[in-house]
Amino acid sequence: MSVDLDRLMRQYRECARHVWNTYFQPLEDGWHEFINVEHALFHGLVLVQAGMEDTRPGAFGLVEGIRVRPCFPPVGHLEVFHAKTQEVQVVEWQQGRLKPGAVDLRFQGFFDWASQDDPQDYRFVRARVFATEQPELEGCDVLLEFQAVTFERV
């Protein structure tokens, strides 16, 4: 049976946004309490439903079993933000372009520019670049607009 991973990811994104914005964002240090809830939501709404319940996200939420596929518009590229993979919380993002070609991106989570205690929209998908024909993106994480990607099991 084929699983619609795009649908599962949309549902998870909307659920996590709603739960954060409605119940945890108003709390003092709500982000601290939300971390485990968000992990549980992802596990139950995506991994279990996709038959990947034994998958454990790695560092920074990396899920190697979920590929992020960019959907290129007629202009032929996607505007993205990228940063070298680091083991620190503060990341210096740079603007760039993702061009059509061989690229292997793996899901890390949803991202928003809002401060930690602000409402979230999860406008971006954060993905780790596993392979690319663009040297400037080697060893990077990228942020792509949620509407510009699809998801599939590896």
Side-chain angles (χ1 to χ4, degrees), residues 5 8-9 12 16 35-57 63 66 107:
L5 195 54
L8 297 177
M9 295 296 275
Y12 159 70
I35 293 169
N36 291 331
V37 172
E38 186 175 25
H39 290 306
L41 290 172
F42 184 73
H43 185 264
L45 295 175
V46 176
L47 298 178
V48 170
Q49 301 308 311
M52 302 170 66
E53 55 271 349
D54 293 333
T55 300
R56 299 287 176 248
V63 181
I66 298 179
F107 182 75

PDB file of all heavy atoms in Angstrom, residues 5 8-9 12 16 35-57 63 66 107:
ATOM      1  N   LEU A   5       3.011  10.566   1.618  1.00  0.00           N
ATOM      2  CA  LEU A   5       3.854  11.247   2.585  1.00  0.00           C
ATOM      3  C   LEU A   5       3.630  12.762   2.567  1.00  0.00           C
ATOM      4  O   LEU A   5       3.724  13.416   3.606  1.00  0.00           O
ATOM      5  CB  LEU A   5       5.330  10.908   2.326  1.00  0.00           C
ATOM      6  CG  LEU A   5       6.308  11.241   3.436  1.00  0.00           C
ATOM      7  CD1 LEU A   5       5.899  10.635   4.770  1.00  0.00           C
ATOM      8  CD2 LEU A   5       7.705  10.775   3.058  1.00  0.00           C
ATOM      9  N   LEU A   8       0.737  13.376   4.879  1.00  0.00           N
ATOM     10  CA  LEU A   8       1.138  13.195   6.277  1.00  0.00           C
ATOM     11  C   LEU A   8       1.961  14.377   6.778  1.00  0.00           C
ATOM     12  O   LEU A   8       1.769  14.852   7.896  1.00  0.00           O
ATOM     13  CB  LEU A   8       1.938  11.895   6.437  1.00  0.00           C
ATOM     14  CG  LEU A   8       1.209  10.604   6.133  1.00  0.00           C
ATOM     15  CD1 LEU A   8       2.159   9.415   6.274  1.00  0.00           C
ATOM     16  CD2 LEU A   8      -0.022  10.432   6.998  1.00  0.00           C
ATOM     17  N   MET A   9       2.859  14.867   5.948  1.00  0.00           N
ATOM     18  CA  MET A   9       3.693  16.001   6.344  1.00  0.00           C
ATOM     19  C   MET A   9       2.860  17.276   6.477  1.00  0.00           C
ATOM     20  O   MET A   9       3.091  18.078   7.389  1.00  0.00           O
ATOM     21  CB  MET A   9       4.835  16.193   5.349  1.00  0.00           C
ATOM     22  CG  MET A   9       5.821  15.032   5.321  1.00  0.00           C
ATOM     23  SD  MET A   9       6.712  14.806   6.862  1.00  0.00           S
ATOM     24  CE  MET A   9       8.033  15.979   6.607  1.00  0.00           C
ATOM     25  N   TYR A  12       0.943  16.943   9.772  1.00  0.00           N
ATOM     26  CA  TYR A  12       1.842  17.143  10.910  1.00  0.00           C
ATOM     27  C   TYR A  12       2.190  18.623  11.070  1.00  0.00           C
ATOM     28  O   TYR A  12       2.136  19.170  12.175  1.00  0.00           O
ATOM     29  CB  TYR A  12       3.118  16.312  10.746  1.00  0.00           C
ATOM     30  CG  TYR A  12       4.246  16.840  11.591  1.00  0.00           C
ATOM     31  CD1 TYR A  12       4.206  16.731  12.973  1.00  0.00           C
ATOM     32  CD2 TYR A  12       5.330  17.483  11.010  1.00  0.00           C
ATOM     33  CE1 TYR A  12       5.230  17.246  13.756  1.00  0.00           C
ATOM     34  CE2 TYR A  12       6.349  17.999  11.783  1.00  0.00           C
ATOM     35  CZ  TYR A  12       6.295  17.878  13.151  1.00  0.00           C
ATOM     36  OH  TYR A  12       7.298  18.403  13.915  1.00  0.00           O
ATOM     37  N   ALA A  16       1.297  20.658  14.402  1.00  0.00           N
ATOM     38  CA  ALA A  16       2.364  21.227  15.235  1.00  0.00           C
ATOM     39  C   ALA A  16       2.222  22.743  15.346  1.00  0.00           C
ATOM     40  O   ALA A  16       2.390  23.310  16.434  1.00  0.00           O
ATOM     41  CB  ALA A  16       3.734  20.839  14.675  1.00  0.00           C
ATOM     42  N   ILE A  35       9.059  20.744  23.029  1.00  0.00           N
ATOM     43  CA  ILE A  35      10.024  19.901  22.310  1.00  0.00           C
ATOM     44  C   ILE A  35       9.565  18.445  22.264  1.00  0.00           C
ATOM     45  O   ILE A  35       9.503  17.836  21.199  1.00  0.00           O
ATOM     46  CB  ILE A  35      11.432  20.022  22.937  1.00  0.00           C
ATOM     47  CG1 ILE A  35      11.981  21.422  22.714  1.00  0.00           C
ATOM     48  CG2 ILE A  35      12.377  18.978  22.363  1.00  0.00           C
ATOM     49  CD1 ILE A  35      13.244  21.729  23.513  1.00  0.00           C
ATOM     50  N   ASN A  36       9.254  17.865  23.406  1.00  0.00           N
ATOM     51  CA  ASN A  36       8.841  16.455  23.441  1.00  0.00           C
ATOM     52  C   ASN A  36       7.498  16.239  22.762  1.00  0.00           C
ATOM     53  O   ASN A  36       7.266  15.201  22.135  1.00  0.00           O
ATOM     54  CB  ASN A  36       8.813  15.933  24.877  1.00  0.00           C
ATOM     55  CG  ASN A  36      10.203  15.835  25.461  1.00  0.00           C
ATOM     56  OD1 ASN A  36      11.186  15.635  24.747  1.00  0.00           O
ATOM     57  ND2 ASN A  36      10.298  15.994  26.777  1.00  0.00           N
ATOM     58  N   VAL A  37       6.609  17.208  22.877  1.00  0.00           N
ATOM     59  CA  VAL A  37       5.302  17.113  22.219  1.00  0.00           C
ATOM     60  C   VAL A  37       5.486  17.097  20.707  1.00  0.00           C
ATOM     61  O   VAL A  37       4.888  16.278  20.000  1.00  0.00           O
ATOM     62  CB  VAL A  37       4.380  18.280  22.651  1.00  0.00           C
ATOM     63  CG1 VAL A  37       3.107  18.312  21.829  1.00  0.00           C
ATOM     64  CG2 VAL A  37       4.081  18.195  24.141  1.00  0.00           C
ATOM     65  N   GLU A  38       6.340  17.985  20.198  1.00  0.00           N
ATOM     66  CA  GLU A  38       6.579  18.043  18.758  1.00  0.00           C
ATOM     67  C   GLU A  38       7.170  16.731  18.246  1.00  0.00           C
ATOM     68  O   GLU A  38       6.771  16.225  17.198  1.00  0.00           O
ATOM     69  CB  GLU A  38       7.506  19.213  18.430  1.00  0.00           C
ATOM     70  CG  GLU A  38       7.678  19.434  16.942  1.00  0.00           C
ATOM     71  CD  GLU A  38       8.493  20.668  16.626  1.00  0.00           C
ATOM     72  OE1 GLU A  38       9.304  21.107  17.464  1.00  0.00           O
ATOM     73  OE2 GLU A  38       8.309  21.198  15.521  1.00  0.00           O
ATOM     74  N   HIS A  39       8.109  16.161  18.988  1.00  0.00           N
ATOM     75  CA  HIS A  39       8.685  14.872  18.588  1.00  0.00           C
ATOM     76  C   HIS A  39       7.614  13.777  18.563  1.00  0.00           C
ATOM     77  O   HIS A  39       7.577  12.960  17.640  1.00  0.00           O
ATOM     78  CB  HIS A  39       9.821  14.458  19.528  1.00  0.00           C
ATOM     79  CG  HIS A  39      11.051  15.301  19.404  1.00  0.00           C
ATOM     80  ND1 HIS A  39      11.707  15.524  18.221  1.00  0.00           N
ATOM     81  CD2 HIS A  39      11.744  15.990  20.344  1.00  0.00           C
ATOM     82  CE1 HIS A  39      12.749  16.304  18.418  1.00  0.00           C
ATOM     83  NE2 HIS A  39      12.782  16.614  19.699  1.00  0.00           N
ATOM     84  N   ALA A  40       6.751  13.779  19.571  1.00  0.00           N
ATOM     85  CA  ALA A  40       5.690  12.773  19.633  1.00  0.00           C
ATOM     86  C   ALA A  40       4.695  12.944  18.481  1.00  0.00           C
ATOM     87  O   ALA A  40       4.239  11.964  17.892  1.00  0.00           O
ATOM     88  CB  ALA A  40       4.968  12.843  20.977  1.00  0.00           C
ATOM     89  N   LEU A  41       4.367  14.195  18.148  1.00  0.00           N
ATOM     90  CA  LEU A  41       3.461  14.448  17.025  1.00  0.00           C
ATOM     91  C   LEU A  41       4.069  13.935  15.721  1.00  0.00           C
ATOM     92  O   LEU A  41       3.390  13.283  14.928  1.00  0.00           O
ATOM     93  CB  LEU A  41       3.150  15.942  16.896  1.00  0.00           C
ATOM     94  CG  LEU A  41       2.273  16.559  17.974  1.00  0.00           C
ATOM     95  CD1 LEU A  41       2.220  18.072  17.817  1.00  0.00           C
ATOM     96  CD2 LEU A  41       0.883  15.951  17.947  1.00  0.00           C
ATOM     97  N   PHE A  42       5.350  14.217  15.487  1.00  0.00           N
ATOM     98  CA  PHE A  42       6.014  13.764  14.264  1.00  0.00           C
ATOM     99  C   PHE A  42       6.048  12.241  14.209  1.00  0.00           C
ATOM    100  O   PHE A  42       5.757  11.637  13.169  1.00  0.00           O
ATOM    101  CB  PHE A  42       7.430  14.340  14.172  1.00  0.00           C
ATOM    102  CG  PHE A  42       8.121  13.980  12.900  1.00  0.00           C
ATOM    103  CD1 PHE A  42       7.755  14.574  11.703  1.00  0.00           C
ATOM    104  CD2 PHE A  42       9.132  13.042  12.889  1.00  0.00           C
ATOM    105  CE1 PHE A  42       8.384  14.237  10.512  1.00  0.00           C
ATOM    106  CE2 PHE A  42       9.771  12.690  11.717  1.00  0.00           C
ATOM    107  CZ  PHE A  42       9.400  13.289  10.527  1.00  0.00           C
ATOM    108  N   HIS A  43       6.370  11.634  15.322  1.00  0.00           N
ATOM    109  CA  HIS A  43       6.429  10.169  15.356  1.00  0.00           C
ATOM    110  C   HIS A  43       5.063   9.560  15.053  1.00  0.00           C
ATOM    111  O   HIS A  43       4.936   8.677  14.203  1.00  0.00           O
ATOM    112  CB  HIS A  43       6.945   9.692  16.723  1.00  0.00           C
ATOM    113  CG  HIS A  43       7.145   8.217  16.779  1.00  0.00           C
ATOM    114  ND1 HIS A  43       6.200   7.366  17.287  1.00  0.00           N
ATOM    115  CD2 HIS A  43       8.177   7.453  16.374  1.00  0.00           C
ATOM    116  CE1 HIS A  43       6.637   6.122  17.190  1.00  0.00           C
ATOM    117  NE2 HIS A  43       7.836   6.148  16.646  1.00  0.00           N
ATOM    118  N   GLY A  44       4.026  10.043  15.740  1.00  0.00           N
ATOM    119  CA  GLY A  44       2.697   9.458  15.578  1.00  0.00           C
ATOM    120  C   GLY A  44       2.008   9.802  14.266  1.00  0.00           C
ATOM    121  O   GLY A  44       1.332   8.963  13.676  1.00  0.00           O
ATOM    122  N   LEU A  45       2.169  11.040  13.802  1.00  0.00           N
ATOM    123  CA  LEU A  45       1.449  11.483  12.603  1.00  0.00           C
ATOM    124  C   LEU A  45       2.191  11.196  11.302  1.00  0.00           C
ATOM    125  O   LEU A  45       1.559  11.108  10.249  1.00  0.00           O
ATOM    126  CB  LEU A  45       1.145  12.984  12.693  1.00  0.00           C
ATOM    127  CG  LEU A  45       0.192  13.402  13.805  1.00  0.00           C
ATOM    128  CD1 LEU A  45       0.080  14.915  13.870  1.00  0.00           C
ATOM    129  CD2 LEU A  45      -1.170  12.759  13.609  1.00  0.00           C
ATOM    130  N   VAL A  46       3.507  11.064  11.356  1.00  0.00           N
ATOM    131  CA  VAL A  46       4.268  10.826  10.128  1.00  0.00           C
ATOM    132  C   VAL A  46       4.925   9.451  10.151  1.00  0.00           C
ATOM    133  O   VAL A  46       4.620   8.589   9.318  1.00  0.00           O
ATOM    134  CB  VAL A  46       5.330  11.925   9.881  1.00  0.00           C
ATOM    135  CG1 VAL A  46       6.174  11.598   8.649  1.00  0.00           C
ATOM    136  CG2 VAL A  46       4.664  13.283   9.725  1.00  0.00           C
ATOM    137  N   LEU A  47       5.840   9.238  11.086  1.00  0.00           N
ATOM    138  CA  LEU A  47       6.634   8.009  11.045  1.00  0.00           C
ATOM    139  C   LEU A  47       5.788   6.745  11.191  1.00  0.00           C
ATOM    140  O   LEU A  47       5.936   5.810  10.405  1.00  0.00           O
ATOM    141  CB  LEU A  47       7.734   8.060  12.107  1.00  0.00           C
ATOM    142  CG  LEU A  47       8.760   9.184  11.931  1.00  0.00           C
ATOM    143  CD1 LEU A  47       9.770   9.165  13.072  1.00  0.00           C
ATOM    144  CD2 LEU A  47       9.452   9.085  10.576  1.00  0.00           C
ATOM    145  N   VAL A  48       4.901   6.710  12.154  1.00  0.00           N
ATOM    146  CA  VAL A  48       4.060   5.515  12.333  1.00  0.00           C
ATOM    147  C   VAL A  48       3.139   5.326  11.131  1.00  0.00           C
ATOM    148  O   VAL A  48       3.023   4.223  10.590  1.00  0.00           O
ATOM    149  CB  VAL A  48       3.247   5.607  13.644  1.00  0.00           C
ATOM    150  CG1 VAL A  48       2.208   4.494  13.713  1.00  0.00           C
ATOM    151  CG2 VAL A  48       4.177   5.555  14.857  1.00  0.00           C
ATOM    152  N   GLN A  49       2.499   6.402  10.678  1.00  0.00           N
ATOM    153  CA  GLN A  49       1.555   6.297   9.560  1.00  0.00           C
ATOM    154  C   GLN A  49       2.256   5.896   8.253  1.00  0.00           C
ATOM    155  O   GLN A  49       1.635   5.303   7.376  1.00  0.00           O
ATOM    156  CB  GLN A  49       0.812   7.617   9.363  1.00  0.00           C
ATOM    157  CG  GLN A  49       0.029   8.072  10.571  1.00  0.00           C
ATOM    158  CD  GLN A  49      -0.902   6.991  11.106  1.00  0.00           C
ATOM    159  OE1 GLN A  49      -1.656   6.385  10.361  1.00  0.00           O
ATOM    160  NE2 GLN A  49      -0.823   6.733  12.404  1.00  0.00           N
ATOM    161  N   ALA A  50       3.539   6.238   8.130  1.00  0.00           N
ATOM    162  CA  ALA A  50       4.297   5.897   6.921  1.00  0.00           C
ATOM    163  C   ALA A  50       5.009   4.559   7.049  1.00  0.00           C
ATOM    164  O   ALA A  50       5.759   4.164   6.156  1.00  0.00           O
ATOM    165  CB  ALA A  50       5.316   6.996   6.619  1.00  0.00           C
ATOM    166  N   GLY A  51       4.766   3.844   8.144  1.00  0.00           N
ATOM    167  CA  GLY A  51       5.426   2.554   8.342  1.00  0.00           C
ATOM    168  C   GLY A  51       6.902   2.694   8.671  1.00  0.00           C
ATOM    169  O   GLY A  51       7.690   1.785   8.423  1.00  0.00           O
ATOM    170  N   MET A  52       7.273   3.823   9.262  1.00  0.00           N
ATOM    171  CA  MET A  52       8.668   4.092   9.601  1.00  0.00           C
ATOM    172  C   MET A  52       8.832   4.254  11.113  1.00  0.00           C
ATOM    173  O   MET A  52       9.701   4.989  11.580  1.00  0.00           O
ATOM    174  CB  MET A  52       9.129   5.384   8.894  1.00  0.00           C
ATOM    175  CG  MET A  52       9.014   5.360   7.397  1.00  0.00           C
ATOM    176  SD  MET A  52       9.286   6.986   6.623  1.00  0.00           S
ATOM    177  CE  MET A  52      11.017   7.255   7.016  1.00  0.00           C
ATOM    178  N   GLU A  53       8.005   3.561  11.893  1.00  0.00           N
ATOM    179  CA  GLU A  53       7.991   3.792  13.334  1.00  0.00           C
ATOM    180  C   GLU A  53       9.303   3.473  14.032  1.00  0.00           C
ATOM    181  O   GLU A  53       9.560   3.959  15.125  1.00  0.00           O
ATOM    182  CB  GLU A  53       6.842   3.022  14.008  1.00  0.00           C
ATOM    183  CG  GLU A  53       6.840   1.549  13.743  1.00  0.00           C
ATOM    184  CD  GLU A  53       6.059   1.174  12.502  1.00  0.00           C
ATOM    185  OE1 GLU A  53       5.342   2.010  11.938  1.00  0.00           O
ATOM    186  OE2 GLU A  53       6.181   0.023  12.073  1.00  0.00           O
ATOM    187  N   ASP A  54      10.177   2.681  13.414  1.00  0.00           N
ATOM    188  CA  ASP A  54      11.476   2.386  14.017  1.00  0.00           C
ATOM    189  C   ASP A  54      12.517   3.464  13.716  1.00  0.00           C
ATOM    190  O   ASP A  54      13.631   3.412  14.224  1.00  0.00           O
ATOM    191  CB  ASP A  54      11.988   1.029  13.538  1.00  0.00           C
ATOM    192  CG  ASP A  54      11.122  -0.110  14.048  1.00  0.00           C
ATOM    193  OD1 ASP A  54      10.500   0.045  15.119  1.00  0.00           O
ATOM    194  OD2 ASP A  54      11.065  -1.157  13.381  1.00  0.00           O
ATOM    195  N   THR A  55      12.160   4.449  12.899  1.00  0.00           N
ATOM    196  CA  THR A  55      13.076   5.537  12.535  1.00  0.00           C
ATOM    197  C   THR A  55      13.220   6.492  13.712  1.00  0.00           C
ATOM    198  O   THR A  55      12.231   6.909  14.303  1.00  0.00           O
ATOM    199  CB  THR A  55      12.534   6.303  11.309  1.00  0.00           C
ATOM    200  OG1 THR A  55      12.413   5.394  10.224  1.00  0.00           O
ATOM    201  CG2 THR A  55      13.454   7.443  10.937  1.00  0.00           C
ATOM    202  N   ARG A  56      14.449   6.833  14.018  1.00  0.00           N
ATOM    203  CA  ARG A  56      14.731   7.795  15.081  1.00  0.00           C
ATOM    204  C   ARG A  56      15.456   8.978  14.447  1.00  0.00           C
ATOM    205  O   ARG A  56      16.537   8.803  13.891  1.00  0.00           O
ATOM    206  CB  ARG A  56      15.619   7.189  16.165  1.00  0.00           C
ATOM    207  CG  ARG A  56      14.994   5.998  16.867  1.00  0.00           C
ATOM    208  CD  ARG A  56      13.882   6.439  17.808  1.00  0.00           C
ATOM    209  NE  ARG A  56      13.234   5.289  18.409  1.00  0.00           N
ATOM    210  CZ  ARG A  56      11.987   4.921  18.149  1.00  0.00           C
ATOM    211  NH1 ARG A  56      11.266   5.603  17.290  1.00  0.00           N
ATOM    212  NH2 ARG A  56      11.447   3.890  18.736  1.00  0.00           N
ATOM    213  N   PRO A  57      14.862  10.162  14.523  1.00  0.00           N
ATOM    214  CA  PRO A  57      15.564  11.334  13.993  1.00  0.00           C
ATOM    215  C   PRO A  57      16.933  11.500  14.640  1.00  0.00           C
ATOM    216  O   PRO A  57      17.097  11.262  15.833  1.00  0.00           O
ATOM    217  CB  PRO A  57      14.640  12.503  14.347  1.00  0.00           C
ATOM    218  CG  PRO A  57      13.283  11.868  14.432  1.00  0.00           C
ATOM    219  CD  PRO A  57      13.537  10.498  15.023  1.00  0.00           C
ATOM    220  N   VAL A  63      16.112  13.210   9.420  1.00  0.00           N
ATOM    221  CA  VAL A  63      15.441  11.944   9.133  1.00  0.00           C
ATOM    222  C   VAL A  63      15.921  11.501   7.750  1.00  0.00           C
ATOM    223  O   VAL A  63      15.399  11.950   6.730  1.00  0.00           O
ATOM    224  CB  VAL A  63      13.904  12.087   9.164  1.00  0.00           C
ATOM    225  CG1 VAL A  63      13.244  10.738   8.895  1.00  0.00           C
ATOM    226  CG2 VAL A  63      13.441  12.653  10.495  1.00  0.00           C
ATOM    227  N   ILE A  66      13.517  10.285   4.824  1.00  0.00           N
ATOM    228  CA  ILE A  66      12.556  11.140   4.128  1.00  0.00           C
ATOM    229  C   ILE A  66      13.315  12.094   3.210  1.00  0.00           C
ATOM    230  O   ILE A  66      14.081  12.947   3.670  1.00  0.00           O
ATOM    231  CB  ILE A  66      11.667  11.937   5.107  1.00  0.00           C
ATOM    232  CG1 ILE A  66      10.843  10.967   5.961  1.00  0.00           C
ATOM    233  CG2 ILE A  66      10.756  12.904   4.340  1.00  0.00           C
ATOM    234  CD1 ILE A  66       9.951  11.637   6.991  1.00  0.00           C
ATOM    235  N   PHE A 107      15.043  15.413   5.018  1.00  0.00           N
ATOM    236  CA  PHE A 107      14.229  16.219   5.938  1.00  0.00           C
ATOM    237  C   PHE A 107      14.876  16.375   7.311  1.00  0.00           C
ATOM    238  O   PHE A 107      15.370  15.423   7.899  1.00  0.00           O
ATOM    239  CB  PHE A 107      12.855  15.565   6.095  1.00  0.00           C
ATOM    240  CG  PHE A 107      11.923  16.331   6.987  1.00  0.00           C
ATOM    241  CD1 PHE A 107      11.317  17.492   6.547  1.00  0.00           C
ATOM    242  CD2 PHE A 107      11.645  15.874   8.262  1.00  0.00           C
ATOM    243  CE1 PHE A 107      10.452  18.198   7.368  1.00  0.00           C
ATOM    244  CE2 PHE A 107      10.771  16.563   9.091  1.00  0.00           C
ATOM    245  CZ  PHE A 107      10.178  17.733   8.634  1.00  0.00           C
TER     246      PHE A 107
END
